[in-house]
Amino acid sequence: MAEKIRVMLSEEEVDAKIKEIGEQISRDYAGKQVHLVCVLKGGSFFMCELAKRITVPVSLDFMSVSSYGSETKSSGVVKIVKDLDEPLKGKDVIVIEDIVDSGRTLSYLMEMLKDRGPASLRLCTLLDKPDRRVVDVHVDYTGFQIPDEFVVGYGLDYDQKYRNLPYIGVVELNA
Ligand code: IMP
Ligand code: MG
């Protein structure tokens, strides 16, 4: 099927916003070290660019989750496919996500990570689709609020494609 990608947020807009968030985090965590937790695979591009813009000491870890039931609108229980390498105890943790959509994945994940005893726990997402929210999630840092359209690029995929686009685009089928 022919697909066309319409640009929603240009590379320049995304880069400028990531720089802004990096500066904000550097101010908020002055004198501390931040521990960034990347939710794979989508969060990886955002986390790398963001980490480069943070001026306080940074450590990184990665986890991979798959959600049950987002299709069936059931529990929203998340299965850990790859867990973190390091404990979170006593760390100032920021979870880095590509997008908060229904909120199911993140609300479950944040509760689970809170139980591991971090000194603090915040959530940072590049994109937020508030119109799609089913479960309440508190987001501390948001890049862009976007309308309810399926987007790709900057880590986000359509059938595992387009993660590597340096901008955020909308997939248009049969275009
Ligand atoms: P939710 O907030 O639990 O519904 O799940 C969010 C996850 O769904 C994200 O981490 C993405 O993997 C995926 N997702 C949601 N909206 C989009 C989109 O527009 N494009 C690509 N993936 C999306
Ligand atoms: Mg994701």
Side-chain angles (χ1 to χ4, degrees), residues 155-168:
L156 291 148
D157 74 301
Y158 171 68
D159 207 11
Q160 296 302 324
K161 287 186 295 184
Y162 305 120
R163 289 191 198 274
N164 58 314
L165 295 180
Y167 55 87
I168 301 293

Side-chain angles (χ1 to χ4, degrees), residues 39-43 65 96-100 105-106 155-157 163:
V39 184
L40 293 169
K41 303 170 184 158
V65 299
I96 309 293
E97 249 291 26
D98 48 2
I99 191 164
V100 183
T105 312
L106 265 298
L156 291 148
D157 74 301
R163 289 191 198 274

Side-chain angles (χ1 to χ4, degrees), residues 67 70 97-106 129 149-152 156-157:
S67 54
S70 60
E97 249 291 26
D98 48 2
I99 191 164
V100 183
D101 187 37
S102 73
R104 286 193 180 95
T105 312
L106 265 298
K129 282 192 212 171
E149 290 189 275
F150 193 83
V151 289
V152 294
L156 291 148
D157 74 301

Side-chain angles (χ1 to χ4, degrees), residues 5-167:
I5 310 295
R6 167 167 54 84
V7 177
M8 178 189 271
L9 297 161
S10 71
E11 183 171 2
E12 291 73 24
E13 286 175 278
V14 176
D15 287 350
K17 183 61 78 176
I18 292 176
K19 183 164 184 278
E20 231 176 77
I21 299 174
E23 288 166 355
Q24 183 67 49
I25 289 173
S26 303
R27 283 194 294 275
D28 293 352
Y29 290 82
K32 296 182 182 173
Q33 171 166 341
V34 280
H35 188 65
L36 303 183
V37 166
C38 173
V39 184
L40 293 169
K41 303 170 184 158
S44 57
F45 289 74
F46 177 39
M47 180 169 91
C48 291
E49 291 307 309
L50 181 64
K52 283 156 59 179
R53 301 297 188 177
I54 296 176
T55 53
V56 298
V58 169
S59 53
L60 309 172
D61 207 345
F62 300 84
M63 72 188 305
S64 182
V65 299
S66 74
S67 54
Y68 295 122
S70 60
E71 246 100 44
T72 58
K73 293 186 173 22
S74 59
S75 63
V77 170
V78 167
K79 179 183 164 206
I80 298 181
V81 178
K82 182 223 172 293
D83 205 344
L84 299 169
D85 291 336
E86 305 288 332
L88 297 183
K89 189 129 194 79
K91 293 180 179 148
D92 290 303
V93 176
I94 308 179
V95 174
I96 309 293
E97 249 291 26
D98 48 2
I99 191 164
V100 183
D101 187 37
S102 73
R104 286 193 180 95
T105 312
L106 265 298
S107 71
Y108 186 88
L109 197 62
M110 294 302 278
E111 282 308 311
M112 198 191 72
L113 297 180
K114 202 193 287 175
D115 288 344
R116 297 186 185 187
S120 66
L121 179 65
R122 287 184 171 175
L123 173 59
C124 174
T125 184
L126 180 60
L127 304 174
D128 185 3
K129 282 192 212 171
D131 296 347
R132 297 260 305 170
R133 198 74 88 253
V134 175
V135 181
D136 239 7
V137 187
H138 179 76
V139 184
D140 299 280
Y141 303 98
T142 303
F144 303 91
Q145 291 201 339
I146 61 167
D148 180 12
E149 290 189 275
F150 193 83
V151 289
V152 294
Y154 238 97
L156 291 148
D157 74 301
Y158 171 68
D159 207 11
Q160 296 302 324
K161 287 186 295 184
Y162 305 120
R163 289 191 198 274
N164 58 314
L165 295 180
Y167 55 87

